[in-house]
Amino acid sequence: MRKIVAILLFLTLSPMAFAGEQEVRIDADWGTLYGTLAVPEEGATTAVVIVAGSGPTDRNGNSSLQITTYAYKMLSDALVDKGYAVLRYDKRAIGMSLAPREVVLSAVFSDFVDDAALCVDYLRNAGYDKVVVAGHSEGGMVALHLALRDNVAVDGIVLLSAAGYPMDTILMRQLSAQLMPSYMGLMVSATDIIQRLKRGEDVAEDRIPKELISLFHPSVQPYLRSYLTTDPAELIAKVECPTLIISGGRDIQISVDNAERLFSSSKGAKHISFADMSHVLKDATTDDRIEQMLSVYTNSQLPLTEGLADAIVEFLKSL
């Protein structure tokens, strides 16, 4: 059952009551979500929730996997500068949103949708007229699920570098790009593991090559099984609220054809693609995976792709 949200600093329910960034905490059944609410000086009537991508990605777009982009913080700053409030938060068990071990081990995809729904409720309770969910990468799948929930009031969704195929297909594509043809044995093992997870089976840790253990560790298998075959194209076909799909031509994780598949399955969504944008919402000068990881994924000073924030602002204005 959802609990009433609590705020660390005293705030009234009016979205016009404060400016700048405020730390917030949102109570959940498993613990507490911690986040940052940024509001322009003149206040705002529309708020955006940024939902982070997969893995240990925090509210700012950084990860313990040596990824330091501050992309979400930069996007928040850009939207606030244009007159919109933005809530970005640490997912359960990430950053400040600490969770008990048993919660982490039992987590499934719908749990993260529940957490994002709490953030939407928080903004509704704070008095915002419109609430939009911007999901990045795996967060795009969360946004799609929120848009289809009867008990969640979402006025629009933005899908940033989001998958357009089921996750088993995405994983196979990503692993193939990294392992083929040099590491054929690992690719065969990964294929077998994915097939077993799709059948609902457990895969023992000693059956997983050490190179793949972080991806398929038994602790994350319940999560993987919970959404591995969910087709985002089937979900977006049911979405009624306004939808903006944004893709990048230099995305080494989610290729543009994902966005095209989402767009073709949607009910009037808009698709904008930026030719040089990478998966972390910043321009890259190369399509090489290693070079991007070294030059873009670890560069906190690199700005967001030019025009990205403006495209989202135009979408928000249209609501």
Side-chain angles (χ1 to χ4, degrees), residues 2-245:
R2 295 176 186 171
K3 300 178 181 179
I4 299 176
V5 296
I7 307 178
L8 292 175
L9 301 178
F10 174 77
L11 302 171
T12 70
L13 288 180
S14 169
M16 308 294 287
F18 64 98
E21 289 195 342
Q22 306 287 340
E23 289 293 301
V24 302
R25 67 185 185 199
I26 301 173
D27 292 335
D29 290 339
W30 56 267
T32 304
L33 284 172
Y34 286 83
T36 301
L37 178 63
V39 180
E41 184 175 351
E42 66 276 15
T45 58
T46 298
V48 178
V49 180
I50 296 178
V51 183
S54 61
T57 306
D58 67 17
R59 74 182 82 174
N60 293 320
N62 302 327
S63 168
S64 58
L65 301 177
Q66 299 183 336
I67 296 175
T68 309
T69 68
Y70 285 93
Y72 303 159
K73 163 65 172 169
M74 292 179 180
L75 180 57
S76 173
D77 289 347
L79 295 180
V80 169
D81 185 59
K82 296 295 185 179
Y84 298 93
V86 179
L87 173 62
R88 60 190 198 276
Y89 66 97
D90 292 332
K91 298 179 297 182
R92 66 170 69 191
I94 304 300
M96 291 183 63
S97 299
L98 302 179
R101 177 176 170 80
E102 61 271 17
V103 169
V104 176
L105 295 179
S106 63
V108 293
F109 182 77
S110 61
D111 293 328
F112 291 87
V113 181
D114 291 341
D115 292 345
L118 288 175
C119 293
V120 173
D121 287 349
Y122 164 74
L123 293 172
R124 290 294 182 191
N125 291 334
Y128 289 97
D129 294 336
K130 292 185 174 67
V131 178
V132 174
V133 179
H136 175 238
S137 191
E138 185 179 272
M141 183 77 85
V142 173
L144 287 170
H145 279 271
L146 285 179
L148 295 174
R149 284 198 174 184
D150 293 333
N151 61 342
V152 181
V154 174
D155 294 288
I157 59 174
V158 180
L159 307 179
L160 297 161
S161 301
Y165 296 90
M167 191 48 58
D168 62 326
T169 301
I170 298 297
L171 281 175
M172 290 295 291
R173 284 185 171 192
Q174 293 180 350
L175 288 168
S176 178
Q178 296 178 63
L179 301 177
M180 296 289 286
S182 301
Y183 304 98
M184 180 67 76
L186 284 177
M187 189 65 208
V188 171
S189 294
T191 302
D192 177 64
I193 292 170
I194 290 172
Q195 292 301 317
R196 292 179 63 183
L197 292 174
K198 285 173 62 176
R199 294 195 297 266
E201 300 175 12
D202 293 327
V203 181
E205 185 172 352
D206 61 6
R207 298 293 300 274
I208 304 171
K210 65 180 187 301
E211 295 88 349
L212 302 175
I213 195 66
S214 62
L215 181 60
F216 297 118
H217 192 276
S219 64
V220 301
Q221 289 179 25
Y223 181 75
L224 288 173
R225 284 195 299 268
S226 69
Y227 85 117
L228 201 59
T229 59
T230 302
D231 191 340
E234 293 181 0
L235 295 180
I236 201 172
K238 303 173 186 176
V239 171
E240 300 288 345
C241 69
T243 301
L244 174 63
I245 303 166

Side-chain angles (χ1 to χ4, degrees), residues 161 170 173-175 177-178 248-256 258 276-280 282 284 286-297:
S161 301
I170 298 297
R173 284 185 171 192
Q174 293 180 350
L175 288 168
Q178 296 178 63
R250 292 194 182 276
D251 192 325
I252 57 175
Q253 295 179 243
I254 303 293
S255 53
V256 175
N258 283 265
D276 294 323
M277 192 175 80
S278 69
H279 190 68
V280 293
K282 298 183 176 189
T286 175
D287 293 321
D288 182 83
R289 179 177 298 273
I290 300 301
E291 290 182 16
Q292 271 201 33
M293 296 294 293
L294 294 175
S295 64
V296 181
Y297 282 60

